[in-house]
Structure formats: structure tokens, C-alpha cells
Amino acid sequence: MKIFDRLPPMDHLRSEKMSFVQLIMPVESAHRAITYLGDLGLLQFKDMNEDKSPFQRTFVNQAKRCAEMLRKLRFFNEQISRASLAVSARPAVQPDIDLEHLEVKLGEHETELHEMNSNSEKLQQSYNELLEFKLVLLKAGSILSSSHSPASSPDTELDENIYHNDAIDDGMSLLEQGARMETSNGAGLRFICGIISSSKEMMFERMLFRATRGNMFFNRAPAGELVTDPISGDQVEKTIFVVFFSGEQAKGKILKICDAFGASCYPVPEDRTKQLQIIREVTSRLSDLEATLDAGLRHRNEALAAIGSQIWRWSLMVRKEKAVYDTLNMLNFDVTKKCLVGEGWCPTFAIPQIKDALQRASLHCNSQVGIIFHELDAIESPPTYFKTNKFTGAFQEIVDAYGVAKYQEANPAVYSVITFPFLFAVMFGDWGHGICLLMGALVLIAREKKLGSQKLGSFMEMAFGGRYVILLMAIFSIYCGLLYNEFFSVPFHIFGPSAYKCSDSSCSDAHSTGLVKYRDPYPFGVDPSWRGSRSELPFLNSLKMKMSIVLGISQMNLGIILSYFDAKFHGNSLDIRYQFIPQMIFLNSLFGYLALLIVIKWCNGSQADLYHVMIYMFLDPAGDLGENQLFWGQKQLQILLLLMALVAVPWMLFPKPFILRKLNKERFQGHSYRFLGTSEMDVESEPDSARIRHDDFNFSEVFVHQMIHSIEFVLGAVSNTASYLRLWALSLAHSELSTVFYEKLLLLAWGYDSLIIRAVGLMVFIFATAFILLMMESLSAFLHALRLHWVEFMGKFYHGDGYKFRPFSFALLAEEED
């Protein structure tokens, strides 16, 4: 154990040290102090009013005002987006504006926009009605002229007084004018003209026929173009109709049916001269309305452009103010002393900066009483805060997706920076595909400033956020591809000539007679002569399977070693003696020994069957190994390792629960006076399994928990080792799929003399490589590498039951606004 004690505590892998602090602020300087702390962004406030509803808090009215201003700003954004106007993300610097003045200004802008929208809607409705009226005049006029009426008397036409010079009155809509259609008091033939949606035309005609009992004549003409509906504003297909009828009672029924079906009725005189006169008047009115609408639209766009040039700054200012008041609502208001009391977490290194910000706030507010800042002891566990940059941030997010580290727990992201892209590359190894990934990553990195300021899609945003992960995955894929000697599945003699040749000098290839070794091994990676040989698949299968086992056992050992550093850092001697040591013994007595046999077999070129060795290590430990013996004393070593593995299981299971029960009894019997008078922080320094309140200690529960943990580790040692064989399976699948695409698409197409077939084959090969190998296969390898890290590696030491440090920061508000 002295060797382990001399090892470094790995402090650089821990989260930042946190301090629990208390602030006592006078009311007059509280707002300024919170603002300065928001600019600093290094203090996470604790909600001290959890028992109060949002409406019972001190600054609820100010927060409501800010929320109302944000609603107005969202309304402006909607109007700007509807008008398709460009908004500057970073407007020119303008003079600072007070929040009260901004509130008044936003209210004025909202009222002005509502008025402009209302007027524009009314004008647009009148414009659409006039367009319909003009269409009805043209189509109904042709219907009436072709009807060949016998006489044109007052009894057979609409009352012409409907359309005197003041017919198109500004205060009366055309629908109201159509509703006031009148005819002469005679009982002759009459007609009503209007327009209806084409989808309702047949039902409308059927209803008219039934209501008038067939005493009507219905004539129609399609509009021939999409018509904007005055009510809904949608463009629909419509039909112009003319209904001929007789009698005042029939007229009332027809008008009611028209209203029920949403048909618009318009007054059309039968005289062709009057029709032309009205058409000229309507056309003139349309041109006037069009000019008015254009002028109103320009004025509205100018107002929106003026708002849009400052809306980002206004929105950020209001969001900051709302965040300040929301934070002030988290503080406890002391009415007697007229001060606000707040508590929160901050990194220990940030305490001088926080004190400086609070001092500046007191000076700028001319407060006679300074802000009191001091540290407190805390019962709850502190939040976890890791300093990251644009390179390490993506790896930290991968770890946090599994679970946020506990306070001062070893951070797996430090190791994942290398192990994650390397395990990906073991499955994806092809230096041609790696170069493609590298080019994509370099493009994202070269354009990171431009892409960082844009709004990206979900897939592109994920790729951009992990650009440095892709970069390392590409670099390691090139490295593993050189090891496998695969460039789009094609081997190359990069590092010199092959070490093998045909056994017969007359053989033309490796498929017929096999290969013999005639010189030193290939200096780096797989010899290119293995490609296409009869023993290619058995050789690569054996190599990649054994390599996967060695890599897996190495990474699991790393996870167990990290559990030791965690236990040592927290002063947990029980976990070191009764968890770390037996776990290391059990894993390496069985599977570490297997990895050792693999390395020895690689070194001496033995033909020993490792399957036979491992199986009979359990079935017949004292049996003769025969030709499977790799080194002297192997049988005795196997017996010793098997006994150590058997001893390690009860070592993990029994001592720890009984020792915890003994410690608990000593506390109650008063044998350990060191626990008397201590704060509850002493409990946090005890082992994880001992962090139970003394009066709640349950031996059976602790024993069952330890038993589950021990069984899980023993079974997991087998399943996790087998799980690493996915490295071999995915690598083999990627290689074989790449070979199929190369031989069955590219080479097959290149065997034809036709340029068209070659071009088609090349295009299909590029498409299959890009979408299947570079996208689907890379995603599959990514997910499998993620599983290996989350379960097989991090499961050995990582708890991940902490919570993130979320400081009050204006910088985070600006990022959300972007």
C-alpha cells in the first residue's frame, strides 16, 4: 500500500474547489451588486424562498414588467420575420436608455404597429372586396348580356338607385351594399349576382333549388384565377353566380342562403353602359387603394427596420433586468434591517473577484453600509464545475450526458480525450476514410467563427459542436488505417516491400499456392500480402479479436485504478482495502492473465490454443498443458491465479458491511469520542457506503447493496470483456463492407470499356462510401465507443450523481439570445 500512497492524488482531474458563501446587501445597492455579479458570472445563488409562490416574492412587480416588455419584443420579432426584414445581430452602438424610458418606447411602438396593422387589414379587405366586385361585374355582365331578356323594364332589373354616385361610400362596405339590394315593387323576374367558393358551389345550388322549390334559374362562370378572400385573406378558387328568381319572399330566402354559405353578393345593374361606368369607378378606386397600401407598407417596414436595428440590444437589456429581478426574488428580504440576504456557491478562486465586484457596487451606489460577504459551512454537496474550452468542451458533454460528476470526483473526460477517438478508430480504421473525416473536421474548424454566429440545423449543430472530437477521430482513424494497411480497403506498400512471396516462383498470385516468409517482418502494420490470400480472414480475425481483448482489459484496469485514486482522495480506506484490491486481483487473475498469454503468444510465435488453456484452467487446473504451455511454471501460476480469484469474491463481499456495522456501534456506545461535537461535514468525509445517518444505519440494506455490487462486478468482468469484442466485430464489418464496395462497384464497373458504365459505377461507389461508410458506419462506431466508455470504463469508478454549477451569468443570456 505504500507504493500506492506515494502516487500523486491527481488533483488536476478534480472539479474546482467550491465555497458556500453568504451575502448581506443593503436594499439600495442590491440591484447594482447583482448586476455586477451577473457580469462576472461566477456565483450560483440558492433559492431561499422555495416555500413562497412566484407571486409572493418581493420583486414580483418588476419581474412582471420585464416579462411584459419581453412579450412586446417577441411581438416585434414576429412582425419583422413576417415582413422578411433583415435584422442586425450586433447593432451599432447607441446611447444607453433607461429601463423606464424603454418601457414607454416599447409601448408606443406596439400601439403604432397595432394601428398600422389594423388600418392595413381594413384597407386590404376593402381592396379584396373591390377586386371581387370587379370580377363579378365582368363575369356577371357577360352572363346577363347572353341571357337575352325580352324586356328591360324596371320590373326585370335591380333598382338603379342602388348605384347612384354615392353608392361606393367609404363608411359602407360592399357587403353591406349587396345586402341592401332592392328591386322594384313589381312581381317580375329579378336576379342576384355574387361570388362563392368553388368547393361549395354544388351544395349551394342544391340548397337554392330546394328553398325556392325549383322556382329559380342558376347560372355560373368560373373566376379563372385564384381570388383572395376578403374575410380570411386566403387565396381560393371561386365561382361567379347569377340567380334569377321571382318574388320578394324568394329574394329573402336566397340572401339568407348566401349568407349561410359565405357567398358575397354584389349589386350589378343590367344596363351594359352602367356596368362599364361602375367598372371604371371600381378600377380607379383600386388604384387609389393600391397606392395607399404601398405607402402604408413602406411606412410599416421603415418602423420595423428602426425597431429591428435595436431589438437585439433591447432584448438583451430586458432579459438582463429580468434575470436580475428573478435573482433578487431568490434572496431573503429582512424587513427590520432593510437588507437582502443571499446564499450561494462559487469557485474558491473567484472569491477575490466577487469581493471586488461587491465593493465596486457599494461605491457606485454611494451606500453608507457596505455589502457583507463571508464563507459558511454547508451540509449539502457542492455543485461540480470543470473549466473547459472549445476543445475539451465536447468531451465533457459526452461524459455529462451519462451523469454529472460528484463534487471532486475523478473526471473521465480527461482520459476520454484520447481513449474515445482511439476506440472509435479501432472500429473505423481506414486511412482513406480517415482523410475524408479529417477534411470535414478541418472545414468546420476553419469556419468556426462564421458557423458559430449562424443558426444551424440539428445535425449540423451537432457536428459543429463536436468538430474537435471528429478531428481526433479522423487522426486516429488514419493511424489505425495505416496499422490495418487499408485505403478504401486497398493495401499499399508504404513502409517497404512485403515479407512474403509465393512458394513457387511460377505462381502468379496469392490465391493459388499460399505465401512463405522470406525476409524480416513488415516494419509497420499489417503486411499488404495478407490482402487476398487464403488465410486473410483467419489472420485478421485472430489479430483484431486478441487486440480487442487486450485493449478492453487495459481500459477496465484503468477504470479500477481511478477508483483507487478517488477513494484515496476522499480518505476512504475501506474502499481501497475491500473493493479496489480484490477487484484488481479478480480481474487480472482471469482476464489479465488472458491478455498476458496473448502478448506472450505474439512475441514467441507459439501455436498454443488459448481457448483450451482458459477452459481447462477451470475444468482441470492440475492437468498437463502439453503443447499449449507457453512458459515454464505456467500450470502452477494458473492454480495460484485461480485461488486468488476465488478468494477475491468473499473479500469483496463480507468484510466491508461488518466493519461498517462495527463503526456504527462504536459511535452509539461512545467509544469514538472524535465524532462528538463535530459538524455534519464529518459525515461527508466518510466512505460512500458509510454516508448514512447514524440513526438510519441498516445492516441488511448495506449487506444487500454490497452483495449486489460484488455480484455485478464478478459477472460484469466476464460480460464487459466480451463486450469489447465489438471492436473486432465492427472493424471486420467495416473492412469487409469497404471491400465489397470497392470490388463489386468500382472494379466491376472499371472492367467495362463504356465510359457511361464507369462513370455510373464511380458515382455509386462515391455515394455508398459517403453515405454508408462515412455517415452510417461512423455513427455506428461512435455509438459503440460511447457504450464502451459509459458502461465498461466509467462503470468501474464513476458515480455521476452530482449536479452542474450553473452560475448567474449575463454571458449565458447572450448565448441563448444568439
Side-chain angles (χ1 to χ4, degrees):
M1 293 305 297
K2 293 182 179 179
I3 298 176
F4 292 113
D5 291 337
R6 286 197 295 266
L7 292 174
M10 295 180 142
D11 289 338
H12 60 287
L13 303 177
R14 310 288 168 183
S15 60
E16 295 292 335
K17 292 184 178 179
M18 308 296 290
S19 298
F20 189 66
V21 298
Q22 185 183 59
L23 296 84
I24 302 176
M25 299 176 286
V27 175
E28 62 270 13
S29 60
H31 185 278
R32 183 70 62 90
I34 297 297
T35 303
Y36 287 175
L37 291 176
D39 292 329
L40 187 61
L42 288 172
L43 180 61
Q44 174 180 325
F45 285 94
K46 177 184 176 182
D47 191 359
M48 302 180 67
N49 298 313
E50 292 180 346
D51 55 336
K52 294 182 180 179
S53 68
F55 302 102
Q56 294 176 326
R57 307 204 177 195
T58 309
F59 299 94
V60 62
N61 293 326
Q62 290 86 340
K64 284 182 180 179
R65 288 173 58 193
C66 293
E68 179 64 18
M69 284 190 280
L70 285 175
R71 183 198 62 77
K72 294 175 183 178
L73 289 167
R74 287 194 298 269
F75 168 71
F76 296 151
N77 272 321
E78 291 174 2
Q79 295 297 311
I80 290 171
S81 60
R82 286 182 185 176
S84 302
L85 296 176
V87 178
S88 175
R90 291 289 190 273
V93 179
Q94 296 287 334
D96 291 336
I97 184 172
D98 187 82
L99 190 66
E100 284 74 15
H101 290 102
L102 179 60
E103 185 177 15
V104 174
K105 196 170 186 178
L106 293 179
E108 292 174 353
H109 283 308
E110 185 186 30
T111 304
E112 182 184 7
L113 275 177
H114 278 306
E115 289 179 358
M116 286 191 288
N117 290 341
S118 177
N119 294 335
S120 177
E121 288 174 2
K122 290 179 181 178
L123 290 174
Q124 190 65 46
Q125 183 177 355
S126 300
Y127 182 79
N128 293 333
E129 287 180 355
L130 285 173
L131 281 178
E132 280 192 350
F133 188 23
K134 182 178 179 181
L135 201 58
V136 169
L137 285 170
L138 294 174
K139 297 289 183 178
S142 61
I143 293 174
L144 292 174
S145 62
S146 62
S147 62
H148 303 293
S149 300
S152 179
S153 62
D155 293 337
T156 60
E157 64 182 21
L158 292 171
D159 189 2
E160 296 176 6
N161 291 329
I162 295 176
Y163 245 92
H164 50 77
N165 292 334
D166 298 330
I168 307 175
D169 186 16
D170 291 339
M172 183 186 300
S173 69
L174 293 170
L175 290 174
E176 293 172 345
Q177 296 174 17
R180 292 183 54 187
M181 286 189 308
E182 295 180 359
T183 59
S184 62
N185 294 329
L189 186 65
R190 311 179 186 187
F191 64 87
I192 293 177
C193 303
I195 188 169
I196 192 173
S197 176
S198 299
S199 60
K200 303 177 181 178
E201 175 192 338
M202 296 301 296
M203 192 182 301
F204 177 64
E205 182 181 359
R206 191 178 298 113
M207 184 61 70
L208 287 175
F209 184 84
R210 291 176 179 175
T212 59
R213 299 187 179 184
N215 294 321
M216 67 94 191
F217 178 72
F218 187 84
N219 207 338
R220 73 180 71 84
E225 60 185 20
L226 292 176
V227 181
T228 304
D229 189 78
I231 305 300
S232 65
D234 300 328
Q235 286 194 336
V236 294
E237 292 184 1
K238 290 199 172 186
T239 301
I240 289 87
F241 64 87
V242 180
V243 183
F244 296 92
F245 62 92
S246 178
E248 191 68 27
Q249 188 176 4
K251 173 188 173 184
K253 291 181 180 180
I254 293 171
L255 289 177
K256 288 181 180 179
I257 294 172
C258 289
D259 185 58
F261 278 83
S264 303
C265 298
Y266 295 97
V268 179
E270 192 172 0
D271 186 16
R272 185 61 181 170
T273 305
K274 293 183 179 180
Q275 289 178 12
L276 295 176
Q277 180 182 356
I278 295 174
I279 289 174
R280 286 193 296 271
E281 292 177 2
V282 170
T283 303
S284 174
R285 182 69 183 276
L286 281 172
S287 62
D288 294 341
L289 278 177
E290 190 172 353
T292 305
L293 283 171
D294 290 341
L297 184 61
R298 284 194 301 271
H299 178 62
R300 180 173 174 271
N301 287 343
E302 289 173 0
L304 288 175
I307 295 172
S309 64
Q310 296 298 319
I311 193 168
W312 184 89
R313 189 170 68 94
W314 291 347
S315 180
L316 185 58
M317 176 182 173
V318 176
R319 286 165 63 89
K320 284 183 178 180
E321 285 294 323
K322 187 175 186 301
V324 168
Y325 285 118
D326 287 340
T327 305
L328 288 171
N329 280 329
M330 297 170 68
L331 310 183
N332 189 12
F333 183 64
D334 192 334
V335 181
T336 58
K337 299 179 182 179
K338 295 184 179 180
C339 62
L340 291 166
V341 180
E343 295 177 354
W345 293 98
C346 70
T348 304
F349 70 84
I351 290 178
Q353 303 176 50
I354 295 174
K355 288 182 177 179
D356 180 65
L358 297 177
Q359 187 177 3
R360 285 189 289 111
S362 298
L363 291 175
H364 293 168
C365 291
N366 297 322
S367 177
Q368 297 179 355
V369 181
I371 300 175
I372 300 174
F373 176 90
H374 58 273
E375 299 182 46
L376 300 175
D377 291 334
I379 298 175
E380 66 267 20
S381 177
T384 302
Y385 174 50
F386 292 107
K387 281 186 178 180
T388 57
N389 51 36
K390 60 184 180 181
F391 179 80
T392 60
F395 294 97
Q396 190 63 55
E397 288 297 326
I398 290 174
V399 173
D400 289 345
Y402 174 83
V404 179
K406 290 194 302 184
Y407 178 62
Q408 296 276 286
E409 185 178 13
N411 185 14
V414 177
Y415 305 95
S416 300
V417 171
I418 299 300
T419 59
F420 182 84
F422 179 72
L423 291 185
F424 169 87
V426 170
M427 295 179 276
F428 194 73
D430 187 301
W431 62 281
H433 298 154
I435 289 174
C436 295
L437 281 182
L438 180 63
M439 293 171 61
L442 291 177
V443 169
L444 292 174
I445 293 171
R447 304 181 62 190
E448 65 180 10
K449 287 186 178 179
K450 181 179 179 182
L451 293 174
S453 61
Q454 295 177 355
K455 202 165 236 185
L456 306 174
S458 57
F459 178 79
M460 191 63 186
E461 186 177 2
M462 180 179 64
F464 177 72
R467 58 194 180 279
Y468 290 102
V469 179
I470 299 174
L471 175 68
L472 288 185
M473 291 193 304
I475 293 174
F476 281 107
S477 295
I478 294 173
Y479 171 74
C480 289
L482 292 173
L483 280 179
Y484 300 156
N485 204 344
E486 292 185 7
F487 178 82
F488 296 102
S489 79
V490 180
F492 284 89
H493 293 78
I494 301 174
F495 301 101
S498 172
Y500 298 91
K501 66 177 182 179
C502 292
S503 58
D504 183 3
S505 59
S506 63
C507 72
S508 58
D509 55 37
H511 295 276
S512 56
T513 57
L515 300 169
V516 293
K517 187 174 182 180
Y518 76 101
R519 56 179 297 164
D520 292 336
Y522 194 67
F524 185 83
V526 176
D527 196 303
S529 295
W530 287 105
R531 178 67 64 181
S533 66
R534 290 175 297 178
S535 55
E536 174 195 4
L537 200 56
F539 169 74
L540 291 179
N541 269 342
S542 176
L543 172 68
K544 293 182 178 180
M545 180 175 64
K546 293 172 182 174
M547 182 180 66
S548 301
I549 293 174
V550 172
L551 290 175
I553 293 171
S554 301
Q555 191 175 33
M556 287 191 290
N557 271 293
L558 174 62
I560 298 175
I561 291 172
L562 286 176
S563 71
Y564 161 76
F565 283 104
D566 248 356
K568 180 187 176 185
F569 183 85
H570 293 103
N572 192 342
S573 59
L574 284 181
D575 282 349
I576 294 176
R577 294 192 187 100
Y578 306 109
Q579 191 164 299
F580 163 71
I581 294 177
Q583 285 181 358
M584 287 291 290
I585 291 174
F586 182 85
L587 181 67
N588 291 289
S589 296
L590 302 178
F591 302 103
Y593 174 64
L594 173 61
L596 177 65
L597 292 180
I598 291 172
V599 173
I600 293 175
K601 184 178 179 181
W602 279 344
C603 293
N604 61 20
S606 172
Q607 299 296 319
D609 186 1
L610 299 186
Y611 295 109
H612 183 277
V613 173
M614 293 304 297
I615 290 173
Y616 281 91
M617 178 179 175
F618 295 94
L619 297 181
D620 188 12
D624 186 20
L625 294 174
E627 61 181 10
N628 292 322
Q629 183 168 342
L630 290 167
F631 55 90
W632 178 84
Q634 181 178 350
K635 182 172 71 173
Q636 291 78 9
L637 178 62
Q638 288 183 178
I639 294 173
L640 176 63
L641 292 177
L642 189 60
L643 291 175
M644 291 174 64
L646 292 175
V647 170
V649 175
W651 191 351
M652 277 188 286
L653 176 59
F654 294 109
K656 188 175 174 179
F658 287 98
I659 292 174
L660 289 176
R661 185 176 68 171
K662 179 183 177 183
L663 291 175
N664 184 70
K665 286 183 177 179
E666 288 179 354
R667 292 190 187 100
F668 279 102
Q669 293 172 1
H671 292 169
S672 292
Y673 293 100
R674 61 190 179 89
F675 290 103
L676 295 177
T678 58
S679 68
E680 294 191 36
M681 287 297 293
D682 296 331
V683 180
E684 296 296 325
S685 63
E686 296 176 16
D688 291 341
S689 52
R691 290 178 188 175
I692 306 170
R693 294 205 176 258
H694 307 322
D695 54 348
D696 294 336
F697 183 82
N698 189 331
F699 174 74
S700 60
E701 182 179 344
V702 173
F703 186 82
V704 170
H705 177 270
Q706 187 67 22
M707 182 175 63
I708 292 173
H709 183 78
S710 302
I711 295 173
E712 182 184 9
F713 178 81
V714 172
L715 298 179
V718 181
S719 63
N720 293 348
T721 305
S723 181
Y724 276 96
L725 293 177
R726 70 183 70 232
L727 298 174
W728 156 53
L730 267 291
S731 175
L732 184 65
H734 183 83
S735 175
E736 293 302 313
L737 197 59
S738 182
T739 302
V740 167
F741 288 155
Y742 174 72
E743 293 180 353
K744 302 303 180 184
L745 291 177
L746 194 60
L747 290 186
L748 187 64
W750 232 250
Y752 293 89
D753 294 331
S754 173
L755 290 176
I756 297 177
I757 295 178
R758 289 185 176 184
V760 171
L762 180 61
M763 293 300 294
V764 174
F765 173 76
I766 293 174
F767 178 85
T769 300
F771 288 93
I772 297 178
L773 292 177
L774 291 180
M775 292 184 65
M776 295 178 62
E777 280 286 310
S778 64
L779 181 61
S780 174
F782 181 91
L783 293 176
H784 283 285
L786 198 64
R787 143 81 198 220
L788 291 176
H789 277 76
W790 280 357
V791 179
E792 279 71 25
F793 172 53
M794 291 162 56
K796 299 291 183 294
F797 68 98
Y798 189 65
H799 294 88
D801 54 356
Y803 63 100
K804 268 188 177 182
F805 173 61
R806 301 187 182 278
F808 171 62
S809 174
F810 290 152
L812 298 178
L813 292 177
E815 291 175 5
E816 292 175 4
E817 185 69 16
D818 289 340

